[in-house]
Amino acid sequence: MIKIGTALFEAAEQLEREKGISKDVLVSSLCDALVAGYKKHIKDKDAENVEAILDETAGEIGVFRTKVVVEEVENPDTQISLEDAKEIDDEVEIDDEVKIEVTPENFGRIAAQSAKQVITQRIREAERKMVLDEFLSKKGTLITGIVQRKDERNNIIVNIGKTDAIMPTREQIPGEYYKPGNRIRVFVLNVKETTRLPQVIVSQAHSEIVRELFELEVPEIEDGIVEIKSIAREAGFRTKLAVWSNDPSVDSVGACIGPRGSRIQTIVGELKNEKIDIVRYSLDPVEYIVNALSPARIISVDILADEENKKEAFVIVPDDQLSLAIGREGQNVRLAHRLTGWKIDIKSESQAAQMERQTPAEEHKEEAVEELLEETEPAETVVETAEETVSEANESVEE
């Protein structure tokens, strides 16, 4: 047996406290390393009846081979005679198994070299698996991190505890300055397994971060009384949120806004003053579209197509509400389309009236063209008549 003392166990306990890696991982790694070193020493890497046993009380470790008790030994590596086995254990019988220590002399140095490499590798594997399992469970949730730096690809590196996460450019809020040392909330978008520590991808631009924030701030959503039906977001600018109450006595919009706007103000502050429109969800598409286009006032909504793959609506608004309904660079109507799933064509009241006046005139024009075509002889008939006239004239000249 090799004397290892108590220092190893103290180091294992410290590792468990600091990194959360179980002491058993270190112990099993040491045993595996000792077995690997022994097989290399005897030049028999395929030996299967070899194991390392650690006596924690005595602070010793050794290599043992399991051998079967037989009357006549044919393979000394796997078999032992009954007479020799009796010297180890008086009660053994034929076909029993006994463990025989085979730790070579001066094996400590070889064991230490093998153990160092194996233990380091096992600790890394254990740490990687632990981090992977932790963040796989957090995928799709909101966590807090600390901004570290910006890399050469303009990705933001965020420390999220046991590892650093990457926030790609497309997942950042446009125009936002991420100062190193600042604490930010990020949405765990994906976790990729790599040969080193897992790569965690986080986001501040994903629409689900809005859902997570509302679930944290609005108890009615967490309890399932109020339900978020749909979210449309353009990060850093504006978000539309469709909510529904499963309890008629609870106002879904009011619950999300909170007393004197306290809840919505907290979320807006978290999103760097991003504008949030909270609208009531409705099973009636007309009502839902009207709500989605708020704060613009709507005169009428006509459903043009309501099919599985084609949903179109024609909306008329007052003249002074057209720009508000469309929004800056079409943002309001674009978000309303993404929120409801309906393609929305918006016209002002005067534009709609002009379209109605033009429509009868165009229909009259088409009718007049059709009548003219009916009255006019086809081109083939005209050509045939001309040919007959020329033929008759030629005959007269010959006569």
Side-chain angles (χ1 to χ4, degrees):
M1 299 284 281
I2 302 172
K3 191 74 174 178
I4 60 175
T6 60
L8 175 69
F9 305 107
E10 293 173 358
E13 292 172 357
Q14 183 179 357
L15 189 68
E16 186 171 13
R17 287 194 303 270
E18 292 179 356
K19 293 193 174 184
I21 299 174
S22 172
K23 183 177 75 172
D24 296 338
V25 172
L26 186 62
V27 171
S28 64
S29 299
L30 179 62
C31 292
D32 291 344
L34 208 64
V35 170
Y38 175 77
K39 289 181 179 181
K40 187 176 181 180
H41 178 74
I42 64 172
K43 299 179 181 179
D44 184 8
K45 63 179 182 179
D46 296 325
E48 296 181 355
N49 59 332
V50 180
E51 64 178 317
I53 298 177
L54 176 67
D55 186 345
E56 190 171 342
T57 305
E60 296 179 338
I61 190 171
V63 182
F64 292 80
R65 295 195 76 154
T66 302
K67 295 185 178 183
V68 179
V69 179
V70 295
E71 291 183 356
E72 185 176 348
V73 176
E74 296 180 358
N75 185 352
D77 290 335
T78 59
Q79 297 174 339
I80 186 174
S81 65
L82 180 61
E83 182 181 353
D84 291 340
K86 288 285 187 181
E87 295 180 1
I88 300 172
D89 186 353
D90 293 337
E91 299 181 358
V92 297
E93 298 179 357
I94 298 297
D95 293 333
D96 285 350
E97 292 184 345
V98 293
K99 295 185 185 296
I100 303 172
E101 185 181 358
V102 291
T103 308
E105 294 183 5
N106 302 321
F107 189 59
R109 182 180 60 82
I110 299 174
Q113 290 176 346
S114 300
K116 181 180 179 181
Q117 183 177 0
V118 173
I119 289 174
T120 302
Q121 183 180 356
R122 289 291 179 85
I123 289 175
R124 287 176 180 171
E125 290 177 357
E127 188 176 9
R128 183 177 62 84
K129 185 178 184 304
M130 185 175 60
V131 172
L132 180 65
D133 292 343
E134 178 182 350
F135 287 102
L136 277 175
S137 66
K138 292 182 179 179
K139 184 178 178 180
T141 62
L142 205 60
I143 61 174
T144 301
I146 300 175
V147 177
Q148 297 295 302
R149 67 185 188 281
K150 180 184 287 189
D151 66 13
E152 63 279 0
R153 297 182 180 179
N154 290 326
N155 299 323
I156 301 298
I157 308 302
V158 184
N159 180 266
I160 50 176
K162 295 177 181 177
T163 188
D164 286 342
I166 298 174
M167 182 161 58
T169 306
R170 66 180 181 277
E171 300 300 338
Q172 300 169 24
I173 297 177
E176 177 68 13
Y177 173 64
Y178 293 94
K179 183 180 179 181
N182 281 1
R183 298 180 70 87
I184 58 173
R185 280 182 175 177
V186 291
F187 181 77
V188 181
L189 197 61
N190 198 8
V191 181
K192 298 179 181 179
E193 187 173 1
T194 64
T195 53
R196 300 180 67 186
L197 286 177
Q199 187 182 69
V200 182
I201 309 298
V202 296
S203 171
Q204 274 205 318
H206 201 278
S207 60
E208 286 300 309
I209 197 172
V210 179
R211 184 189 301 273
E212 291 287 327
L213 287 172
F214 270 93
E215 288 180 355
L216 288 173
E217 294 295 333
V218 183
E220 290 84 353
I221 294 179
E222 183 68 24
D223 296 339
I225 299 172
V226 174
E227 185 178 350
I228 298 175
K229 288 291 188 178
S230 180
I231 302 174
R233 185 186 186 203
E234 292 188 1
F237 301 101
R238 193 172 186 177
T239 292
K240 283 185 179 288
L241 192 78
V243 294
W244 170 268
S245 176
N246 294 312
D247 186 346
S249 63
V250 177
D251 179 16
S252 58
V253 175
C256 293
I257 294 174
R260 297 183 180 180
S262 58
R263 294 173 179 174
I264 190 68
Q265 286 174 8
T266 302
I267 296 171
V268 168
E270 188 71 38
L271 297 177
K272 311 300 181 184
N273 296 321
E274 183 175 312
K275 186 175 181 181
I276 299 178
D277 296 335
I278 303 176
V279 302
R280 285 185 177 82
Y281 174 80
S282 176
L283 295 173
D284 180 7
V286 173
E287 183 180 356
Y288 192 19
I289 291 171
V290 170
N291 295 342
L293 287 171
S294 64
R297 289 184 290 107
I298 309 300
I299 293 177
S300 66
V301 177
D302 291 329
I303 302 300
L304 302 180
D306 188 2
E307 303 170 6
E308 184 177 353
N309 299 322
K310 189 176 182 182
K311 294 180 179 292
E312 296 181 6
F314 181 70
V315 177
I316 300 176
V317 299
D319 290 354
D320 62 347
Q321 295 287 300
L322 181 60
S323 60
L324 184 62
I326 295 175
R328 185 178 181 181
E329 297 180 353
Q331 187 181 75
N332 192 57
V333 68
R334 186 166 59 248
L335 288 174
H337 158 65
R338 287 163 51 188
L339 187 74
T340 62
W342 283 76
K343 182 180 178 181
I344 303 172
D345 183 16
I346 299 181
K347 298 293 181 184
S348 68
E349 195 171 9
S350 58
Q351 287 174 337
Q354 186 178 359
M355 289 174 61
E356 289 180 0
R357 287 195 300 270
Q358 288 177 346
T359 302
E362 290 176 356
E363 291 177 354
H364 179 70
K365 182 179 178 181
E366 291 177 0
E367 291 175 359
V369 171
E370 289 177 359
E371 291 177 0
L372 182 61
L373 291 174
E374 289 176 359
E375 294 175 356
T376 304
E377 293 185 5
E380 294 178 357
T381 305
V382 173
V383 172
E384 290 176 359
T385 304
E387 290 176 348
E388 291 176 358
T389 303
V390 172
S391 177
E392 291 177 356
N394 290 335
E395 290 176 359
S396 301
V397 172
E398 290 177 357
E399 290 177 357

